[in-house]
């Protein structure tokens, strides 16, 4: 098991290219289960989650060749309908094989998911969606067992108590593309990753309209074919590098990012005095001498992303004044607070809100990562802290960031990866 050792106090400078989106590549790879034809996926990030979904596809009978940011997926001719606990339990995103397996084979057995501990994330909307399409669903021994002779189009409302669900929208959309008739998904997730998945499915021959809006319409087809597709840039990775430039008062040029996917984040940070400029060569981020306190509330896209909440708490720790950061998507996603307080942060949690009093400086300390985005927040804090910070359990970080420590090092950070 690895750890990161960080000597803080260095303003980051230089340029960095944003990797492919983790939350796009996982359902896109799952969608290759919908055909026996060869699919080629480009701009694939080098993540432990990517390797997990590749292992799962191979276990389900696919042949996968992964090299230089490209994965080629084809069928060996032997298919399994069971997504085993050993793989699905390690990564929640792998639950997205449920929809394509059911649509293609008429039956599947998929383990209930695992992943980061950031609060309750039930699969009720996934099951509601496939039941509406005509599937019979049972839960036995920790597995979802679903079957249907032929899925049928339906009008499905997928809103949950905290808004739309990205993974449930992806699962239902992938199931519906091979269903008989028309499916309408109301209160669908609007995230760019859903639009990216839809774009890949359309290249395969699916008939989809409205992706990127709350209402997605799908006309089922008899079969899908192979396709080539390049994954969109990761907006959360881009946001994390933006935060890294600001917290270290650095100067970074982000290449390959999509500014349109960062609207709420950029607006919120500019309101606090951040300098973020768009140009033909990318997005330039310059750390301001005195950022103003932040007042941020997370919402489903196009609102402020919950996946940037922890990073904003870290930034608020060294921003003068009182910042208020509320998470209405995952109200329990604050496990990073206790670790940041070990570094001298002044934070009070009030329900789903963190009230942060900016301090003059953070102090390096040994801290423990609890989940993917909390890991990023602790790294950001370490970059600006006085002294040495050691971040343990960074396997969480490797799930969603492509060689983050090496890329930060290229920007001047004093950061090294060591064995625990």
């Amino acid at each position: 098991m690895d750890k990161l050792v960080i000597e803080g106090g260095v303003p980051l400078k230089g340029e960095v290219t944003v990797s492919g989106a983790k939350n796009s590549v996982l359902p896109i790879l799952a969608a290759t289960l919908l055909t026996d034809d060869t699919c080629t996926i480009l701009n694939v990030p080098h993540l432990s989650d990517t390797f997990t979904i590749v292992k799962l596809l191979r276990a389900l009978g696919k042949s996968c060749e992964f090299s230089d940011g490209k994965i080629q997926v084809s069928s060996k001719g032997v298919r399994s309908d069971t997504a085993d606990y050993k793989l699905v339990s390690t990564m929640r995103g792998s639950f997205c094989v449920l929809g394509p397996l059911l649509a293609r084979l008429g039956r599947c057995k998929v383990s209930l998911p695992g992943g980061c501990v950031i609060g309750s994330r039930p699969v009720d909307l996934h099951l509601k969606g496939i039941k509406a399409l005509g599937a019979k669903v049972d839960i036995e021994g920790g597995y979802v067992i679903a079957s249907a002779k032929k899925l049928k189009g339906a009008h499905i409302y997928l809103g949950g108590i905290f808004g739309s669900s990205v993974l449930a929208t992806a699962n239902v959309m992938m199931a519906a593309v091979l269903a008989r008739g028309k499916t309408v998904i109301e209160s669908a997730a609007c995230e760019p990753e859903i639009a990216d998945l839809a774009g890949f499915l359309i290249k395969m021959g699916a008939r989809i309209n409205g992706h990127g809006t709350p209402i997605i319409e799908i006309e089922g087809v008899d079969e899908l074919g192979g396709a080539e597709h390049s994954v969109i840039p990761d907006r959360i990775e881009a946001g994390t590098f933006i935060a890294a430039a600001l917290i270290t008062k650095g100067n970074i040029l982000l290449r390959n990012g999509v500014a349109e996917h960062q609207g709420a984040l950029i607006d919120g940070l500019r309101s606090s005095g951040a300098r973020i400029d768009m140009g033909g060569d990318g997005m330039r981020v310059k750390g301001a001498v005195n950022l103003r306190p932040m007042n941020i509330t997370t919402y489903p896209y196009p609102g402020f992303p919950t996946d940037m909440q922890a990073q904003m708490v870290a930034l608020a720790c060294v921003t003068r004044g009182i910042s208020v950061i509320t998470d209405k998507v995952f109200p329990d996603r604050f496990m990073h607070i206790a670790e940041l307080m070990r570094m001298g942060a002044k934070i009070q949690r009030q329900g789903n809100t963190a009230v942060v009093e900016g301090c003059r400086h953070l102090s390096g300390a040994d801290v423990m990562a609890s989940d993917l985005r909390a890991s990023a927040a602790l790294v950001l804090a370490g970059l600006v802290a006085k002294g040495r910070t050691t971040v343990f359990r960074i396997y969480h970080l490797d799930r969603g960031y492509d060689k983050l420590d090496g890329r930060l090092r290229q920007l001047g950070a004093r950061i090294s990866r060591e064995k625990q």
Side-chain angles (χ1 to χ4, degrees), residues 306-371:
T306 179
D307 280 351
M308 283 300 302
Q309 177 258 109
Q311 297 91 312
M312 292 301 99
V313 171
L315 179 59
C317 289
V318 291
T319 299
R320 290 183 181 180
I322 305 294
S323 294
V324 179
I325 300 172
T326 301
D327 199 327
K328 291 197 172 182
V329 179
F330 293 122
D332 295 324
R333 194 179 201 175
F334 287 101
M335 297 180 72
H336 45 284
I337 287 179
E339 299 303 298
L340 289 170
M341 291 176 69
R342 285 176 50 78
M343 302 177 72
K346 300 177 181 179
I347 309 171
Q348 289 187 353
R349 181 181 171 187
Q350 300 175 0
N352 64 343
T353 297
V355 180
V356 187
E357 180 184 352
C359 56
R360 293 186 66 181
H361 69 267
L362 296 175
S363 299
D366 291 349
V367 291
M368 192 78 70
S370 59
D371 61 72

Side-chain angles (χ1 to χ4, degrees), residues 7 10-14 383 407-415:
E7 295 285 348
V10 179
L12 301 185
K13 296 180 181 180
L383 292 175
R407 295 157 78 197
L408 288 172
R409 198 158 44 245
Q410 291 175 358
L411 296 171
R414 293 179 294 192
I415 181 171

Side-chain angles (χ1 to χ4, degrees), residues 75-91:
S75 289
K76 293 181 178 178
V78 178
R79 293 197 303 267
S80 169
D81 64 4
T82 301
D84 189 75
Y85 168 80
K86 290 180 181 179
L87 290 172
V88 182
S89 64
T90 65
M91 184 184 73

Side-chain angles (χ1 to χ4, degrees), residues 33 51-64 74 76 78-88 97 101 105:
L33 292 164
F51 290 108
T52 297
I53 196 74
V54 165
K55 288 179 183 177
L56 181 54
L57 289 177
R58 287 171 175 162
L60 293 170
K62 288 288 187 178
S63 173
C64 302
S74 56
K76 293 181 178 178
V78 178
R79 293 197 303 267
S80 169
D81 64 4
T82 301
D84 189 75
Y85 168 80
K86 290 180 181 179
L87 290 172
V88 182
V97 300
L101 279 178
L105 304 179

Side-chain angles (χ1 to χ4, degrees), residues 201-353:
L201 292 170
I202 290 169
K203 290 178 181 178
M204 296 174 73
R207 299 170 62 186
I208 305 173
N209 287 298
H211 42 290
T213 79
I215 299 179
I216 299 175
E217 297 181 351
I218 303 165
E219 285 284 351
V221 297
D222 291 333
E223 63 180 8
L224 297 179
E228 181 174 296
H229 184 78
S230 184
V231 175
I232 61 171
D234 194 312
R235 59 195 173 97
I236 305 304
E237 181 184 277
T240 302
F241 277 113
I242 290 172
L246 295 176
I247 202 169
T248 65
K249 295 181 172 58
N251 186 336
I252 293 177
L253 177 65
L254 285 176
R255 296 189 183 276
N256 198 39
V258 181
E260 291 78 7
H261 296 169
Q262 306 281 342
L265 174 67
I266 291 172
D267 180 73
L269 290 174
R270 280 178 171 168
S271 297
S272 295
R275 297 173 61 188
I276 304 174
D277 301 315
M278 314 301 172
D281 55 351
M283 188 185 308
R284 174 71 64 178
V285 186
K286 297 179 181 179
V289 175
N290 291 310
L291 281 180
R292 295 185 292 274
M294 295 173 279
N295 191 337
I296 289 170
T297 300
T298 73
Y299 289 102
Y301 190 86
F304 198 97
T306 179
D307 280 351
M308 283 300 302
Q309 177 258 109
Q311 297 91 312
M312 292 301 99
V313 171
L315 179 59
C317 289
V318 291
T319 299
R320 290 183 181 180
I322 305 294
S323 294
V324 179
I325 300 172
T326 301
D327 199 327
K328 291 197 172 182
V329 179
F330 293 122
D332 295 324
R333 194 179 201 175
F334 287 101
M335 297 180 72
H336 45 284
I337 287 179
E339 299 303 298
L340 289 170
M341 291 176 69
R342 285 176 50 78
M343 302 177 72
K346 300 177 181 179
I347 309 171
Q348 289 187 353
R349 181 181 171 187
Q350 300 175 0
N352 64 343
T353 297

